[in-house]
């Protein structure tokens, strides 16, 4: 099985793709995780959960509590029993990054690809490629939220269309600034729902507590905005409710947007346009 060219990490991919099926799924092989791996998971989970209690969105915390996965690397089959009953989603184990066409295809069928390997001790604080901790602690809890679950499937379906229109980079920005680095402020202050924030000790605090540039959620603005993959984000986008994601996506007519903007130079991350006001607690600045 050839290894997919990863969209995000310069280094060669590290998962074992030899046993991957045609859709890039593999067995999780939960029995193969060593006590040392489960111990590392417990330490990662304990540290991150303490930060998540203060800085993650309530929907994320509710999902973390329902999966209750602090005692060791979770068995995806057990997680799926809860997940299928709640929102019809199921986790599929993958060796790591998989080609866009397969990734979108899984999301369109309410299947979330979760990397099966856990980071090394030397990567405790940061790694470029998503591992099982990033995916399960960062992404999976929100799959229990019905509105987010609907959005993510709609995103998967939109991805298949974006590929046909050669506009994948624009749609990938939506994933990046919401599913990976999204912020929500339902009135009680800015909290993180994006997995890249929820699973990161440093950026979770930075995104919610620093004077970072935060802008109101705007799908077209996001599709025109560049991003960096190996540093803290230079800007974040804030929704007021989870419904904004699905509402913002289902009403978009991507065809004309792609036609107009596909070849445009992206807006550099961190730039604020003349017509824009940063997000302030309680809504966009006056
Ligand atoms: N594969 N396993 C995995 N996890 C991802 O988050 C992922 C991927 N392939 C492609 C991809 N993300 C991005 O290109 C998304 O924007 C689609
Ligand atoms: Fe991710």
């Amino acid at each position: 099985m050839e290894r997919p060219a990863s969209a995000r990490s310069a280094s060669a991919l590290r998962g074992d793709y030899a046993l991957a099926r045609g859709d890039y799924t593999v067995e999780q092989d939960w029995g193969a995780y060593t006590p040392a791996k489960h111990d590392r998971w417990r330490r990662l989970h304990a540290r991150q959960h303490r930060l998540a209690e203060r800085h993650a969105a309530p929907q994320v915390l509710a999902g973390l509590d329902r999966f209750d996965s602090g005692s060791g690397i979770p068995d995806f089959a057990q997680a799926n029993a809860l997940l299928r009953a709640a929102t019809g989603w199921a986790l599929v184990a993958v060796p790591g990054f998989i080609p866009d066409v397969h990734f979108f295809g899984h999301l369109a069928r309410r299947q979330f690809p979760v990397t099966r390997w856990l980071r090394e001790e030397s990567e405790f604080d940061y790694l470029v490629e998503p591992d099982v901790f990033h995916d399960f602690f960062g992404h999976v809890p929100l799959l229990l939220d019905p509105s987010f679950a609907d959005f993510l499937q709609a995103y998967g379906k939109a991805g298949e269309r974006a590929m046909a229109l050669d506009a994948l980079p624009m749609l990938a920005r939506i994933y990046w600034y919401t599913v990976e680095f999204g912020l929500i402020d339902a009135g009680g202050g800015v909290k993180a729902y994006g997995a890249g924030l929820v699973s990161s000790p440093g950026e979770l605090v930075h995104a919610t507590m620093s004077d970072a540039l935060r802008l109101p959620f705007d799908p077209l603005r996001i599709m025109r905005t560049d991003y960096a993959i190996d540093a803290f984000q230079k800007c974040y986008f804030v929704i007021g409710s989870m419904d904004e994601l699905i509402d913002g996506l289902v009403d978009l007519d991507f065809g004309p947007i792609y036609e107009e903007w596909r070849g445009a130079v992206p807006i550099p991350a961190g730039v604020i346009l003349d017509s824009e006001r940063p997000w302030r607690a309680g809504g966009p600045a006056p």
Side-chain angles (χ1 to χ4, degrees), residues 7-8 94 96-100 103-104 113 115 130 135 139 155 172 175 180:
R8 286 201 213 137
V94 292
F97 249 97
I98 64 176
D100 288 334
F103 187 75
F104 284 114
T115 294
D135 280 335
H139 284 288
Y155 177 84
Y175 189 88
E180 290 296 357

Side-chain angles (χ1 to χ4, degrees), residues 154-203:
Y155 177 84
K157 291 178 177 172
E160 294 170 322
R161 177 133 185 268
M163 277 181 284
L165 296 172
D166 189 25
L168 209 47
M170 287 184 71
L171 196 74
R173 291 169 184 153
I174 292 269
Y175 189 88
W176 191 262
Y177 281 114
T178 58
V179 181
E180 290 296 357
F181 292 96
L183 295 175
I184 183 169
D185 181 353
V190 167
K191 303 289 181 188
Y193 70 90
L197 299 177
V198 169
S199 64
S200 159
E203 196 162 4

Side-chain angles (χ1 to χ4, degrees), residues 80 83-84 87-91 107 110-112 143 149 152-153:
N80 283 343
L83 203 44
R84 281 199 181 92
T87 55
W89 275 82
L91 309 182
L107 299 186
R110 292 207 174 214
Q111 293 181 170
F112 192 82
L143 295 176
L152 200 56
Q153 181 179 29

Side-chain angles (χ1 to χ4, degrees), residues 26 47 75 84 101 129 232:
V26 293
R47 177 183 67 175
D75 182 338
R84 281 199 181 92
V101 62
E129 263 181 272
F232 283 4

